[in-house]
Amino acid sequence: MITTPPGPTLLGFDLIWVGTMLAAIAAVAVVLAIYAAVTVRDPMVKRVKALNDRREQLKAGIATTARKRASIVRKNETADKMRGTLASLKVLQESQVAQIQQKLAQAGIRKKELAVVVIFARMVLPLVLGIFAGVMIYLVNYFPEWGSMKKFFLFAGAVGVGYKGPEIFISNMISKRTDKIRKGLPDALDLLVICAEAGLTVDAAFGRVAKELGRAFPELGDEFTLTSIELSFLTERKQAFENLAYRVNLDSVRGVVTTMVQTERYGTPLASALRVLSAEFRNERMMRAEEKAARLPAIMTVPLILFILPVLFVVILGPAACSISDAFSDGGPAKGG
């Protein structure tokens, strides 16, 4: 029987097998990179479509009566059923719905009827996950070696995840979107100053800034485009600015909204006020970057101790330890002879 000699090994692993797996992973990564480069999609297509729908809604709201306007709004049957169920159980509060609608708007979700879906999910998911965890833990006994306290904590964790899961998911979306808007706000204010000094109106200036920053900061371009549309169609321009502060959970945007409302009311120069705000926000962004840089040495201490220093010790002391070991292994038999 002919046997093939084993290949080279390192720490018990076959080097040929490890190399083959790494080559396969690299080939898959290259294919995925080529696919991502070829199928590049414009991130503004879906946003522009949503904003055009909003424009049509505003046009319909101005041109039609209240009865016709109500017929234009499409009702979601699933959301209506959920609302009826929650209302029959007397767990639906209008203040809670309004709060979740604002959170959805801050997360970039325009459909207000999804607030009822979120409330319904917060009521149903704890029951579903709790029943599933109870069946798996106590009836099926999927973890027989666990103690009673450990099983109870797992059951309580499943129920807690079901209750807090939707809220945590929405809060995460809001945080990411707010950070992206915060990064592009100083540049947007600089462009607003240029547009105001060039003689553009406020709604035209917002539209121009949204067009220029739409690809670099699509979330900020989305909000500015929607504000420009509302400035053109709403009867009160103040309401358009208040809607911008309603949709963005950021103190800087509230400051911009307050400035815009004051300039609309008292006729103060818009360019000078925006220039002061832009400089203030830019200094704030620089201070935030300096704060992160100042915290970097303290943050790097733990990785330095755990990962970098042991490698340095192995590299520096490894050859010396090998030399000493070879000297003792060679000298031992010589002395015995």
Side-chain angles (χ1 to χ4, degrees), residues 34-47:
I34 295 174
Y35 176 77
V38 172
T39 59
V40 176
R41 297 182 180 179
D42 190 357
M44 293 299 295
V45 174
K46 186 182 295 184
R47 299 176 183 275

Side-chain angles (χ1 to χ4, degrees), residues 147-257:
S148 59
M149 188 61 67
K150 200 171 183 179
K151 291 181 179 179
F152 175 75
F153 281 138
L154 180 59
F155 175 78
V159 175
V161 168
Y163 181 74
K164 286 293 185 179
E167 184 177 354
I168 294 174
F169 179 74
I170 295 175
S171 300
N172 189 26
M173 291 180 62
I174 294 173
S175 178
K176 291 181 179 179
R177 193 168 186 269
T178 302
D179 290 338
K180 293 178 181 178
I181 293 176
R182 183 188 291 112
K183 292 179 181 178
L185 189 59
D187 299 333
L189 290 182
D190 289 339
L191 290 177
L192 278 178
V193 170
I194 296 173
C195 293
E197 291 178 346
L200 294 179
T201 59
V202 177
D203 51 347
F206 270 88
R208 183 65 181 179
V209 172
K211 182 179 179 181
E212 295 294 334
L213 295 180
R215 293 187 179 275
F217 305 100
E219 292 80 11
L220 185 60
D222 184 11
E223 295 297 337
F224 272 34
T225 304
L226 186 55
T227 303
S228 175
I229 293 173
E230 291 180 345
L231 285 172
S232 301
F233 290 100
L234 290 180
T235 55
E236 294 185 5
R237 298 169 66 88
K238 177 182 177 182
Q239 185 63 37
F241 296 123
E242 291 179 352
N243 290 340
L244 177 61
Y246 174 84
R247 295 189 304 267
V248 181
N249 185 24
L250 195 61
D251 293 335
S252 303
V253 174
R254 297 190 186 95
V256 174
V257 168

Side-chain angles (χ1 to χ4, degrees), residues 241 253-263:
F241 296 123
V253 174
R254 297 190 186 95
V256 174
V257 168
T258 303
T259 302
M260 300 298 293
V261 171
Q262 290 178 354
T263 54

Side-chain angles (χ1 to χ4, degrees), residues 285-306:
R285 185 169 65 176
M286 184 62 67
M287 291 175 60
R288 194 179 298 111
E290 292 177 353
E291 180 183 357
K292 290 183 179 180
R295 289 187 301 174
L296 188 60
I299 296 175
M300 287 297 295
T301 301
V302 176
L304 180 66
I305 295 174
L306 293 180

Side-chain angles (χ1 to χ4, degrees), residues 316-331:
I316 295 173
L317 301 180
C322 292
S323 300
I324 296 173
S325 177
D326 292 340
F328 276 106
S329 63
D330 293 340

